[in-house]
Amino acid sequence: MTVRGILATKGRDVVTISPNRTLADAALVLSERGLGALVVVGSPDEVIGILSERDIVRSVAARGPGALGETVRQNMTADVVTTVESATVQTVMAQMTDGRFRHVPVLDGGKLAGIVSIGDVVKYRLAEMESEQQALREYIATA
Ligand code: AMP
């Protein structure tokens, strides 16, 4: 299975945020949309970073609630690890494990084309394991 297969099921919408917004704005969007990370886009629509709930928690823990007035740009990770639609799910799982993050934006010709989260990957793996089990059961029953 490829990243394309995951996006075909979950859709290609990505919630983004401008680097000039505040962490308080970002926290509100994350909370309202039930998300764990926002892709930071500059103009014109170029991925320039990623801001996760962990970045907000880390900044508030370090500098107190005043950190919520800081900009997204000051707190995002600028060196974003991305993938492409033709990549395998195994490759994305390895990226998440190696980098210790739970979100990987998908680019198509340099443009944002979707996002894969650890939840999407786990859902896919569970479905895959279930169909493997079913195939084994059928094999045993007909052997
Ligand atoms: P997460 O586990 O995705 O909530 O993110 C944990 C940390 O990794 C945060 O500091 C994020 O900014 C950073 N991060 C999340 N996703 C990525 C990514 N695809 N590439 C690089 N850093 C990331």
Side-chain angles (χ1 to χ4, degrees):
M1 164 80 111
T2 61
V3 165
R4 184 175 290 113
I6 288 185
L7 295 185
T9 312
K10 74 167 275 201
R12 284 156 206 277
D13 284 351
V14 185
V15 180
T16 61
I17 192 162
S18 146
N20 304 320
R21 303 275 294 277
T22 64
L23 286 195
D25 293 336
L28 193 63
V29 178
L30 288 171
S31 166
E32 282 178 351
R33 306 295 290 264
L35 300 171
L38 299 169
V39 176
V40 186
V41 293
S43 55
D45 261 9
E46 185 201 352
V47 174
I48 60 167
I50 189 160
L51 182 88
S52 106
E53 56 197 348
R54 289 196 180 167
D55 297 316
I56 300 176
V57 168
R58 192 184 303 128
S59 298
V60 170
R63 297 184 292 283
L68 290 170
E70 295 172 5
T71 62
V72 166
R73 188 192 297 278
Q74 287 173 288
N75 290 274
M76 69 186 191
T77 300
D79 194 8
V80 187
V81 175
T82 60
T83 189
V84 289
E85 294 198 31
S86 57
T88 63
V89 176
Q90 274 78 9
T91 309
V92 176
M93 282 169 75
Q95 284 177 310
M96 287 178 177
T97 307
D98 293 347
R100 293 177 174 274
F101 45 69
R102 300 165 294 173
H103 303 87
V104 179
V106 185
L107 299 187
D108 183 10
K111 294 272 167 231
L112 191 57
I115 189 163
V116 175
S117 77
I118 201 160
D120 302 324
V121 170
V122 168
K123 194 172 158 190
Y124 150 75
R125 277 296 293 151
L126 285 176
E128 193 181 51
M129 281 159 65
E130 234 161 66
S131 70
E132 279 169 8
Q133 255 189 21
Q134 183 62 29
L136 275 177
R137 267 194 227 105
E138 281 168 18
Y139 175 74
I140 291 165
T142 56

